[in-house]
């Protein structure tokens, strides 16, 4: 953060506020652009935004606090299931509604628990933060590789739990592999009828969804920046750099790391809650290990610890997934057909996405390990060759 | 003891019967040790005498096998390093352990961590109390860097010259407002001018800031010129204690350092 501070203060106001303002304006206008040009990209862009939020959450854990978390998907899943449980007909034994958009066909109160999406966003965030603390408290005493292995296990256990949680002593908590379906749509019911698409978010007009996730992403970015420059942000860097020295300064390494874990989990959970409501049905298989790795790749590719870098990483990787690979697929098919090659004409390029990500990651590690838009501190850490001897010499020469 | 008149001066640190065994090896054996208020106390001894082990037990990196530590009247034997630091114990490291990719100012601010109260929510919401505290902390950090005489403020700590890194480590330790400062070979690797400047700085720690200092040092000129009391360890045992003059003339000390054969 020192570096960020220094550059932030030194930079001209245009650079400091101009670029973010331009990007926000562009993001606000995107639905009109999409509509006007007939791009039809609203759906993928919303999913990309969910991943931006996930990557920013993981960036707190990995980028700021330097904890390798290979099970981040667990919090994403927990957030989604919070919405699944409390905004659907899943628990049909009861009938509880609170500020929900859900209506039953008969006009009575619908079966299941139906709580307002907006409340559930907060509940999901709080719940996953709590889970982060519960998981983190015993494991964050571990360092480095050991922590990575424990989080890996945790990321595997949670989807398994959802898969097998349909009969917990006779109680159906998660509905197993069938998952939870017909999750309520969010909505702001107090709005006038002229804004009917906002009263209850539909599947035809995606604008309300888009602006909701955009707001969530902007809040996440803002909180990320504020945390980075705070007292806690300094504690994170110091623990990341040298845990023993940090403890000797009175910084409690365990609680410092726990905060990173809990805050990262919170953003993962909120992203999951949004995704659950957006996609309307959640299955244990939607939260596989691949997602942990994909989000990790976004953080590393973009530049650990750099907020803009992480956003770019998320957009780049999901952009490849949603847009570029299907495009390439079409091209390959077209080439295959014109050449009369059944191998190319029937190729399924998107199937190889993780193969392609793997290559990208290896190339990045070889060519630019600090990421596309690096964090200055991380860059220093990775290019450490000018260290040791030279400095000691410099010291004596200078004195 | 020609020094103080009995118990009128309170002790910042009292160590009683400190013993540390690594397996069968007694690294430190039943050492009693006091550091009076506003005193500079040195711990010396040949290599492997147990100085650093003792030091690490004071700061909490090792737990003693037997014995207890009392810091300003409170038993800290079972406390973790960060709790001891909160209680008023600051330290530097023999092999400099700065936060390399933080600027000098940020290193000092990280050292100030326990004395700041800004909450997470306060930081996120930019609450005026937190902003004011940050501003004051920054001013205090610059004052501390002035005190130790460091000029490069915004460069990464690891890019500072060696002598400056030593000074920055002291500034960082001072940031937590310690009552007792532990310095582990602060002049190691320094040239004579740098050593002289650092010796002067250690003296000022007591005069201007009222600190007590526990010093491990190999450079005898430094030890003899600024210490009020010197304790000598050899093979984990305290073999001598007293003023620099007394210790210098103690036969057991000469023996430990130079061997038995005395040429007269």
């Amino acid at each position: 953060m020192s570096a960020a501070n220094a550059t932030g203060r030194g930079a001209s106001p245009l650079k400091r506020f101009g670029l973010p303002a331009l990007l926000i304006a562009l993001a606000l206008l995107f639905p009109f652009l999409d509509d006007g040009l007939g791009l039809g990209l609203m759906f993928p862009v919303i999913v990309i935004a969910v991943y931006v939020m996930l990557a920013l959450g993981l960036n707190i854990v990995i980028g700021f606090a330097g904890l390798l978390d290979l099970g981040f998907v667990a919090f994403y899943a927990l957030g989604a299931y919070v919405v699944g449980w409390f905004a659907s007909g899943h628990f049909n034994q009861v009938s509880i509604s609170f500020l929900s958009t859900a209506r039953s066909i008969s006009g009575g109160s619908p079966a299941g628990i139906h709580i307002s999406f907006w409340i559930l966003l907060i509940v999901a965030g709080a719940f996953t933060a709590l889970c982060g603390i519960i998981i983190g408290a015993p494991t964050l005493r571990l360092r480095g590789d050991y922590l990575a292995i424990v989080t890996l296990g945790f990321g595997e256990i949670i989807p398994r739990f959802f898969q097998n949680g349909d009969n917990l002593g006779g109680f159906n908590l998660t509905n197993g592999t069938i998952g939870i379906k017909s999750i309520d749509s969010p909505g702001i019911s107090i709005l006038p009828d002229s804004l009917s698409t906002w009263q209850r978010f539909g599947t035809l007009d995606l604008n309300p969804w888009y602006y909701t996730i955009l707001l969530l992403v902007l809040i996440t970015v803002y909180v990320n920046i504020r945390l980075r420059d705070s007292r806690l942000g300094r504690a994170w860097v110091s623990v990341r750099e040298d845990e023993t020295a940090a403890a000797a300064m009175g910084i409690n390494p365990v609680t410092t790391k726990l905060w990173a874990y809990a805050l990262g989990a919170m953003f993962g959970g909120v992203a999951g809650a949004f995704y659950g409501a957006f996609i309307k049905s959640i299955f244990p298989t939607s939260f596989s290990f691949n997602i942990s790795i994909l989000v990790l790749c976004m953080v590393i590719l973009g530049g650990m610890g750099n907020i803009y870098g992480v956003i770019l990483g998320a957009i780049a990787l999901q952009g490849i997934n949603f847009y570029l690979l299907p495009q390439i697929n079409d091209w390959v098919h077209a080439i295959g057909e014109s050449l009369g090659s059944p191998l190319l004409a029937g190729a399924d390029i998107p199937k190889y996405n993780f193969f392609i990500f793997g290559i990208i990651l290896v190339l990045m590690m070889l060519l630019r390990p600090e990421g596309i838009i690096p964090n200055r501190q991380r860059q220093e850490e990775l290019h450490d060759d000018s260290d040791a001897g030279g400095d000691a010499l410099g010291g004596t020469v200078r004195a | 003891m020609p020094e103080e008149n009995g118990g009128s001066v309170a002790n910042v640190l009292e160590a009683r019967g400190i013993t540390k065994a690594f397996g069968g090896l007694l690294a430190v054996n039943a050492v009693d040790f006091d550091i009076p208020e506003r005193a500079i106390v040195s711990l010396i001894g040949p290599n492997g005498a147990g100085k650093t082990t003792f030091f690490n037990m004071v700061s909490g990196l090792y737990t003693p096998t037997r014995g207890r530590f009392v810091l300003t009247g409170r038993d800290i034997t079972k406390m973790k390093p960060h709790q001891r630091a909160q209680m008023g114990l600051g330290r530097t490291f023999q092999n400099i352990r700065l936060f390399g990719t933080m600027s000098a100012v940020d290193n000092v601010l990280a050292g100030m961590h326990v004395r700041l109260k800004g909450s997470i929510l306060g930081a996120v919401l930019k609450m005026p109390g937190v902003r004011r505290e940050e501003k004051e902390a920054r001013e205090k950090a610059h004052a501390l860097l002035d005190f130790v005489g460091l000029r490069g403020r915004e460069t990464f700590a690891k890019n500072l010259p060696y002598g400056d890194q030593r000074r920055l480590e002291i500034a960082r330790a001072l940031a937590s407002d310690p009552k007792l400062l532990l310095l582990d070979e602060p002049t190691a690797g320094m040239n004579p001018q740098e050593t002289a400047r650092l010796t002067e700085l250690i003296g000022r720690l007591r005069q201007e800031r009222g600190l007590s200092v526990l010093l491990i040092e190999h450079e005898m000129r430094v030890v003899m010129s600024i210490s009020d009391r010197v304790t000598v360890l050899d093979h984990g045992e305290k073999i001598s204690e007293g003023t620099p003059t007394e210790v210098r003339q103690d036969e057991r000390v000469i023996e430990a350092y130079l061997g038995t054969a005395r040429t007269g």
Side-chain angles (χ1 to χ4, degrees), chain A residues 191-203:
Chain A
L191 289 175
D193 284 347
S194 57
L195 291 166
S196 61
T197 52
W198 284 85
Q199 281 178 329
R200 189 168 185 280
F201 294 8
T203 43

Side-chain angles (χ1 to χ4, degrees), chain B residues 47-67:
Chain B
N47 285 329
K51 304 184 297 289
T52 297
T53 307
F54 183 81
F55 204 85
N56 283 336
M57 283 192 282
V58 177
S59 67
L61 290 182
Y62 297 158
T63 341
T65 316
R66 275 190 299 280

Side-chain angles (χ1 to χ4, degrees), chain A residues 102-393:
Chain A
R103 301 280 175 272
S104 78
I105 302 159
S106 60
S109 61
I113 303 172
H114 300 273
I115 293 176
S116 162
F117 170 75
W118 311 107
I119 295 172
L120 287 181
L121 276 186
I122 297 167
V123 172
F127 176 66
T128 47
L130 187 71
C131 291
I133 290 172
I134 293 170
I135 306 303
T139 53
L140 288 176
R141 288 160 209 281
L142 303 171
R143 295 191 189 191
D145 309 348
Y146 302 102
L147 180 68
I149 292 166
V150 172
T151 55
L152 178 67
F154 178 59
E156 280 293 283
I157 288 166
I158 291 294
R160 296 285 150 152
F161 171 75
F162 288 133
Q163 198 174 331
N164 299 306
D166 54 349
N167 188 4
L168 297 170
F171 181 66
N172 179 1
L173 182 65
T174 65
N175 212 21
T177 44
I178 303 155
I180 297 173
K181 295 195 176 114
S182 358
I183 294 170
D184 303 340
S185 283
I188 310 168
S189 45
I190 53 162
L191 289 175
D193 284 347
S194 57
L195 291 166
S196 61
T197 52
W198 284 85
Q199 281 178 329
R200 189 168 185 280
F201 294 8
T203 43
L204 292 176
D205 184 359
L206 295 178
N207 283 5
W209 297 102
Y210 175 80
Y211 286 114
T212 304
I213 189 68
L214 183 63
L215 180 69
L216 289 175
V217 166
L218 289 177
I219 291 172
T220 313
V221 171
Y222 179 75
V223 173
N224 256 263
I225 293 172
R226 298 300 313 153
L227 288 175
R228 183 194 65 192
D229 296 341
S230 73
R231 169 173 172 261
L232 183 64
R234 278 193 300 268
W236 281 334
V237 181
S238 62
V239 170
R240 185 180 87 202
E241 286 253 331
D242 190 333
E243 202 174 316
T244 308
M249 298 305 120
I251 295 168
N252 184 341
V254 175
T255 48
T256 303
K257 290 195 272 186
L258 212 49
W259 271 116
Y261 213 60
L263 289 166
M266 184 183 84
F267 288 116
V270 174
F274 176 88
Y275 183 74
F278 178 60
I279 228 75
K280 287 209 169 357
S281 1
I282 46 175
F283 313 98
T285 45
S286 326
F287 305 103
S288 61
F289 173 61
N290 290 352
I291 294 176
S292 292
I293 298 304
L294 182 62
V295 179
L296 180 68
C297 289
M298 290 168 177
V299 173
I300 294 172
L301 182 79
M304 278 188 276
N306 184 305
I307 292 164
Y308 288 112
V310 168
I311 295 173
L312 184 68
I315 294 174
L317 279 192
Q318 278 302 43
I320 292 173
N321 230 355
F322 276 114
Y323 189 71
L324 200 59
L325 290 184
Q327 266 318 318
I328 295 174
N329 204 34
D330 289 347
W331 295 334
V332 171
H333 287 188
I335 294 167
E337 271 156 29
S338 63
L339 293 176
S341 152
L343 183 74
L344 288 180
D348 187 5
I349 303 294
K351 206 169 77 179
Y352 303 111
N353 60 349
F354 271 88
F355 173 69
I356 293 164
F357 291 164
I359 292 177
I360 294 174
L361 209 57
V362 169
L363 287 177
M364 277 304 284
M365 284 302 109
L366 291 173
L367 302 173
R368 201 174 161 84
E370 63 272 25
I372 304 171
I373 309 178
N375 169 303
R376 247 185 74 200
Q377 293 174 309
R378 289 297 204 166
Q379 199 171 16
E380 280 292 309
E381 282 167 28
L382 286 159
H383 295 278
D384 222 0
D385 33 48
S386 67
D387 208 9
D391 279 0
L393 277 179

Side-chain angles (χ1 to χ4, degrees), chain B residues 147-240:
Chain B
F147 178 77
V148 300
L150 195 86
R151 267 160 292 141
R153 303 283 160 96
E154 294 295 338
T155 35
F156 282 144
K158 61 179 228 172
N159 295 334
L160 287 171
Y162 181 80
D164 282 357
Q165 292 194 13
R166 286 261 178 226
R167 290 165 174 278
L168 177 55
E169 233 197 350
I170 293 175
R172 184 182 68 174
L174 289 176
S176 64
D177 285 331
K179 297 184 186 79
L180 173 64
L181 185 63
L182 313 179
L183 300 175
D184 196 352
E185 297 198 25
T187 69
M190 283 189 167
N191 66 27
Q193 292 123 292
E194 283 179 319
T195 304
R197 281 170 58 200
L198 198 85
T199 313
E200 182 242 314
L201 175 63
I202 296 170
R204 276 168 54 216
L205 289 176
R206 170 176 48 184
Q207 279 147 27
E208 295 175 27
R209 306 186 72 91
L211 278 176
S212 306
V213 177
L214 170 61
L215 187 68
I216 292 188
E217 188 52 74
H218 274 302
E219 185 62 55
M220 280 309 138
R221 243 172 311 173
V222 177
V223 172
M224 296 304 167
S225 66
I226 58 169
S227 307
D228 299 311
R229 293 161 68 84
V230 178
T231 299
V232 190
L233 287 186
D234 189 28
H235 298 298
E237 303 202 13
K238 187 161 83 175
I239 58 166
S240 179

Side-chain angles (χ1 to χ4, degrees), chain A residues 10-35:
Chain A
S12 64
L14 188 72
K15 204 177 164 193
R16 219 180 136 197
F17 298 109
L19 186 65
L22 186 73
L23 291 176
I24 292 171
L26 209 69
L28 285 172
L29 293 174
F30 177 77
F32 301 101
L33 209 72
D34 184 78
D35 195 36

